[in-house]
């Protein structure tokens, strides 16, 4: 099934078993500000079962909404802090959605 032209940012942060929960909670706290940004659709934070990663998945109405967030004062600060953790980022556009019957 085809989806709309939303934009998704998938970011994988390296972590440790000892630091994983705190790192994830920091991302959740940051989401309180991100969720007020125009074009924000929603987000999720995942923990790698091996304890070696924290993954964020954030969806925006479109690429421009995400770009506007990155240009905002908060977005620039969040990007700088996140960059210090050396994450692997993937910028994605939906191709299909498969839902349960």
């Amino acid at each position: 099934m085809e989806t709309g032209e939303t934009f998704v940012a998938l970011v994988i942060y390296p972590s440790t078993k000892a630091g994983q929960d705190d790192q994830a909670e920091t991302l959740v706290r940051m989401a309180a500000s991100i969720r007020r940004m125009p074009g924000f659709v929603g987000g999720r934070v995942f923990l790698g079962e091996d304890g070696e990663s924290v993954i964020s998945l954030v969806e925006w109405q479109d690429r421009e909404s995400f770009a506007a967030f990155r240009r905002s004062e908060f977005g620039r600060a969040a990007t700088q802090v996140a960059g210090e953790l050396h994450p692997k980022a993937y910028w994605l556009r939906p191709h299909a959605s498969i839902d349960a019957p």
Side-chain angles (χ1 to χ4, degrees), residues 70-81:
R70 299 273 310 253
R71 289 189 303 266
S72 72
E73 184 177 335
F74 178 77
R76 287 191 313 270
T79 300
Q80 181 177 355
V81 169

Side-chain angles (χ1 to χ4, degrees), residues 19-93:
Q20 190 180 45
D21 287 335
D22 287 340
Q23 192 174 350
E25 285 307 311
T26 298
L27 288 173
V28 171
R29 282 192 302 276
M30 288 175 60
S33 295
I34 294 172
R35 66 190 299 211
R36 293 181 179 87
M37 299 295 296
F40 177 83
V41 173
R44 296 176 76 181
V45 176
F46 300 90
L47 303 177
E49 285 188 334
D50 61 4
E52 295 183 2
S53 60
V54 175
I55 298 99
S56 69
L57 180 83
V58 182
E59 186 173 4
W60 298 87
Q61 286 179 344
D62 51 39
R63 179 83 163 84
E64 181 51 39
S65 296
F66 174 71
F69 157 70
R70 299 273 310 253
R71 289 189 303 266
S72 72
E73 184 177 335
F74 178 77
R76 287 191 313 270
T79 300
Q80 181 177 355
V81 169
E84 293 171 3
L85 299 173
H86 307 288
K88 178 67 178 162
Y90 299 90
W91 309 142
L92 310 168
R93 56 185 173 81

